[in-house]
């Protein structure tokens, strides 16, 4: 059978990325142009600046991805692109680029849900992983616990009621003076601290044991810092980072293990930017080992935003017959499971 090559394009936030993926599992190239150094100046992503940088970089990034893969657009079978959720201006750049290439080359266009892309990142390095399995999706904008019933089919068991885990990481990092991006900086600083130094709260949601809430633990950290400031006390930033991180990780692992037991899932995966967090990866792996579950996680480079995961997700949509027309538009608030 002929190999199927997908050109994946990702521009939902502040990474301009392109990738060539073969047969849904083999990444031939994965090019990521990050804007972190630009947005550091502002303490977070500035949407207008992100959009302008996508426009400047996207053609070069796509050409580099094709060159790295040793192919040309003549070899590509379909274009996969993130169309939501994300920053609307940033998404529009990728969607417009994908539509232009697909139209000019008469190629099928496949819109991809960004979060489905994160889940699909697990397929890249785990050829044995096939649905169904349980997946904890943990990122800056989303925290979901889902059963992946089939490729592109999800049953949502739980979600955050307020802050996403990654959002809480960023806010706490800013509060203790670490700056942007907060997640990696807290992960690094926490290694120097005592995770049991401060007892921060772990929220439970009445009526749904799989839902999450992280605004309480974020507020507890802010209150702790304010209390220390009012009393003129010195704080140990490493202990705060480690204790906060442990509170978040404990909740994520506990909810995931409970869902796996309740639904009889023997395969557990994690996905999303926060899935690159060392403490979360280690704790989830240990818990899965103790419960006899097979644990899957992408390498950190495939956890954060990238186009390889979009190419993988697009492949499975493509072989199912999914095609989008020229009216495909950016959908910044696209919900998981929506089409």
């Amino acid at each position: 059978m002929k190999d199927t090559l997908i050109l994946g394009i990702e521009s939902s936030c502040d990474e301009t990325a392109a990738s060539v993926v073969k047969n849904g599992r083999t990444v031939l190239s994965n090019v990521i142009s990050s804007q972190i150094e630009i947005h550091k100046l502002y303490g977070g992503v500035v949407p207008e600046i992100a959009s302008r940088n996508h426009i400047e970089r996207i053609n070069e990034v796509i050409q580099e991805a094709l060159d790295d893969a040793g192919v040309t657009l003549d070899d590509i079978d379909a274009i996969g692109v993130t169309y939501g959720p994300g920053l609307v201006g940033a998404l529009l750049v990728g969607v417009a680029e994908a539509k232009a290439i697909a139209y000019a080359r008469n190629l099928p266009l496949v819109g991809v849900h960004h979060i489905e892309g994160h889940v699909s990142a697990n397929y890249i390095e785990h050829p044995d992983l096939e649905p169904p399995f349980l997946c904890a999706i943990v990122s800056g904008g989303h925290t979901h616990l889902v059963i992946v019933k089939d490729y592109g089919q999800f049953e949502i068991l739980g979600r955050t009621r307020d802050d996403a885990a990654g959002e809480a990481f960023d806010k706490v990092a800013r509060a203790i003076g670490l700056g942007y991006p907060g997640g990696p900086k807290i992960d690094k600083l926490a290694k120097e601290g005592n995770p049991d130094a401060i007892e921060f709260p772990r929220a439970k949601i009445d009526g749904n044991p799989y839902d999450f809430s992280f605004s309480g633990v974020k507020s507890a950290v802010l209150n702790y810092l304010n209390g220390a400031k009012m009393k003129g006390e010195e704080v140990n930033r490493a202990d705060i980072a480690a204790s906060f991180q442990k509170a978040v990780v404990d909740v994520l692992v506990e909810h995931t293990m409970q869902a796996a037991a309740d639904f009889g899932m023997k395969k557990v995966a994690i996905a999303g930017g926060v899935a690159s967090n060392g403490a979360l990866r280690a704790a989830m792996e240990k818990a899965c080992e103790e419960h006899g579950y097979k644990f899957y996680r992408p390498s950190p480079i495939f956890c954060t935003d990238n186009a390889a995961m979009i190419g993988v997700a697009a492949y499975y949509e493509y072989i199912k017959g999914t095609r989008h027309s020229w009216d495909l538009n950016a959908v910044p608030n696209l919900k998981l499971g929506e089409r």
Side-chain angles (χ1 to χ4, degrees), residues 13-269:
C13 190
D14 62 336
E15 272 90 17
T16 314
S19 174
V20 178
V21 176
K22 181 174 75 173
N23 300 332
R25 298 274 178 160
T26 303
V27 177
L28 301 183
S29 63
N30 188 36
V31 178
I32 304 168
S33 176
S34 176
Q35 301 176 21
I36 284 178
E37 291 305 315
I38 298 169
H39 297 290
K40 266 184 184 177
L41 299 170
Y42 309 98
V45 177
V46 181
E48 175 67 17
I49 294 174
S51 302
R52 288 178 181 274
N53 274 273
H54 286 311
I55 292 170
E56 291 174 6
R57 293 288 296 133
I58 195 160
N59 284 330
E60 299 170 31
V61 166
I62 288 172
Q63 189 58 56
E64 189 177 339
L66 292 169
D67 292 345
D68 287 356
V71 301
T72 69
L73 286 172
D74 292 334
D75 303 306
I76 298 299
D77 294 288
I79 311 294
V81 63
T82 305
Y83 73 103
L87 302 174
V88 64
L91 288 166
L92 281 168
V93 177
V95 170
E97 179 83 5
K99 289 200 288 188
I101 296 172
Y103 182 81
R105 292 285 176 154
N106 195 28
L107 290 169
L109 177 67
V110 181
V112 174
H113 192 293
H114 182 72
I115 302 304
E116 292 186 17
H118 276 302
V119 174
S120 300
N122 280 285
Y123 301 133
I124 295 170
E125 298 161 301
H126 303 292
D128 62 317
L129 177 61
E130 292 184 353
F133 59 91
L134 181 70
C135 188
I137 306 163
V138 195
S139 69
H142 302 82
T143 304
H144 285 73
L145 197 52
V146 305
I147 294 175
V148 183
K149 303 176 81 170
D150 200 350
Y151 296 106
Q153 292 184 20
F154 305 88
E155 178 183 348
I156 300 174
L157 304 180
R159 68 183 83 211
T160 182
R161 296 289 185 92
D162 38 60
D163 290 0
E167 185 181 355
F169 268 90
D170 283 341
K171 289 177 178 176
V172 168
R174 192 177 300 125
I176 60 178
L178 295 182
Y180 174 85
K185 293 191 174 186
I186 283 187
D187 192 13
K188 182 179 179 181
L189 182 61
K191 293 180 173 66
E192 303 170 18
N194 175 9
D196 300 310
I198 309 160
E199 186 65 26
F200 289 126
R202 281 97 165 132
K204 291 185 181 294
I205 307 294
D206 284 343
N208 192 334
Y210 316 122
D211 272 358
F212 303 95
S213 171
F214 295 111
S215 67
V217 65
K218 173 202 69 183
S219 297
V221 175
L222 299 181
N223 290 338
Y224 179 88
L225 291 168
N226 288 333
K229 185 178 180 181
M230 289 169 64
K231 297 172 190 172
E233 297 173 351
E234 287 289 322
V235 297
N236 185 318
R237 296 197 310 165
D239 284 352
I240 294 171
S243 299
F244 161 74
Q245 180 172 263
K246 186 174 190 295
V248 173
V249 167
D250 284 353
V251 169
L252 290 167
V253 173
E254 181 186 324
H255 286 27
T256 303
M257 291 303 104
Q258 183 172 347
D262 291 349
F263 289 87
M265 306 302 295
K266 296 298 183 183
K267 295 182 287 188
V268 175

Side-chain angles (χ1 to χ4, degrees), residues 321-335:
T322 300
R323 303 290 186 273
H324 285 90
S325 58
W326 308 126
D327 63 355
L328 178 68
N329 203 356
V331 185
N333 297 314
L334 188 65
K335 301 277 192 301

